[in-house]
Amino acid sequence: MELLLEPPHGAGPVRLGMTLDQAVAAVSPWGEPRVRTRPNRILVTVSAVCDGVGVQALLEERDTVTAVELWWPGEGRQSSTRVLLGEVDVFRTPADELLKGLPAHDADGEDPFVPALSLGFTRRTSQKVPRRPDGLPLGFTSVLVGGADYYDHRLR
């Protein structure tokens, strides 16, 4: 299976702007999704797993999907699912190679982001994974697709 990242519109079957019910329906083919609501209802998440790849729709500050995050299954686990940005497999391509040529902020950090594409990446993990000499994991552990202005607050 392939899950396509389509910033700033969504990822896989989850589209930004979907309602909670639509997000639940979008990920239900992979099994019963988990819906979590914070007591103040500022953040609602809809989570499911597609062939080991985690998919989480975030409903932040209102009743529609504002971002979609996908994460790799983790140490020792395999998945035949590919998470693609264009033709590039986000989790099987070295992070430094994937970011080459992109206008990324904090490209050498744990959480680089590309505001022009509404994409954020994470290298954070406590798992035993291949690492660069400076200790950062060679690959990304998660990717987030947000709306067109999702990362504007991080630029201020």
Side-chain angles (χ1 to χ4, degrees):
M1 174 177 276
E2 294 181 343
L3 296 174
L4 302 176
L5 302 179
E6 300 177 65
H9 308 293
V14 182
R15 305 283 93 190
L16 302 184
M18 281 183 158
T19 65
L20 174 61
D21 290 341
Q22 289 171 325
V24 168
V27 299
S28 288
W30 304 322
E32 186 68 31
R34 171 182 259 167
V35 178
R36 290 187 178 170
T37 304
R38 299 275 171 108
N40 60 8
R41 199 156 157 67
I42 289 184
L43 174 65
V44 176
T45 60
V46 177
S47 303
V49 177
C50 172
D51 184 33
V53 175
V55 178
Q56 185 172 65
L58 305 172
L59 292 84
E60 304 162 299
E61 300 178 15
R62 46 187 189 271
D63 294 328
T64 59
V65 174
T66 54
V68 183
E69 185 172 18
L70 293 89
W71 63 93
W72 191 238
E75 181 182 348
R77 298 187 189 122
Q78 298 295 318
S79 175
S80 60
T81 296
R82 297 176 348 134
V83 175
L84 298 175
L85 178 60
E87 298 294 320
V88 179
D89 188 325
V90 171
F91 296 124
R92 291 183 178 95
T93 302
D96 294 335
E97 182 180 323
L98 191 146
L99 291 177
K100 201 174 287 182
L102 292 178
H105 290 262
D106 195 26
D108 284 326
E110 291 182 314
D111 300 305
F113 62 102
V114 185
L117 293 180
S118 301
L119 286 174
F121 300 93
T122 299
R123 297 184 198 210
R124 294 177 189 270
T125 184
S126 60
Q127 299 180 29
K128 293 181 182 179
V129 295
R131 295 180 180 268
R132 298 184 338 187
D134 64 3
L136 281 177
L138 291 178
F140 290 119
T141 55
S142 72
V143 60
L144 183 139
V145 175
D149 57 356
Y150 195 84
Y151 288 98
D152 286 356
H153 70 279
R154 292 185 66 183
L155 296 174
R156 294 182 196 139

